[in-house]
Amino acid sequence: MFKLKLPTDPRWANIAEGNIEEILTDHAWCEQKAATNAIGLITMLPEYPEIVTELLAIAQEELEHFNQVHEIIKKRGYTFGRTRKDDYVNELVQFIQKGGNRDDLIVDKMLFAAMIEARSCERFKVLTENIKDEELKTFYRDLMVSEANHYTTFIGFARQLGDPEKVNKRWEEWLEYEAKIIQSYGKGETIHG
């Protein structure tokens, strides 16, 4: 569905399961950042009320996910740590086109959001298929569906706001770029690490 060029090695789930507290804290902050990103997109698109409405729903859903992860952390007696730097996302940010016109920037930011949702969904699938923790298997299966829906929404907005043929070409470029950088990840106790 996402056409990611390099799948996550299933052994990453073993790394993640080795420190669930760290994974959950990192995951919670990823959800908060996703909500913030959706709100940032809203500020760029006031002339599109239907898109704003959908982005508001995504932001609210991401905050609900943040809350759900936070509740799991509390229930398990873990410590909710400080926000984490996400090197993967920071590398993706570097690929957003600089200069150009506003419409191209908005399309690229939609593709940026779609890429993060696609990889997050793929990582949640790896967790679902490979960890022993039954509660988290179910939790990540549910989130996997949500992330897939967000991916579809962001790709759809990019195609709505830009020329679909150009958007599809640019998405291929995003996929190639992401394949290069993801090679450095998959060895850490973070959602994208």
Side-chain angles (χ1 to χ4, degrees), residues 67-82:
N67 182 53
Q68 289 172 333
V69 179
H70 187 248
E71 289 300 317
I72 291 170
I73 290 168
K74 290 190 318 186
K75 183 174 93 176
R76 292 181 176 214
Y78 295 155
T79 301
F80 179 51
R82 294 187 178 276

Side-chain angles (χ1 to χ4, degrees), residues 123-137:
R123 289 286 170 98
F124 293 162
K125 184 175 189 289
V126 170
L127 287 173
T128 298
E129 293 173 347
N130 294 284
I131 63 174
K132 296 172 187 71
D133 188 310
E134 290 301 323
E135 177 189 23
L136 292 181
K137 270 188 183 196

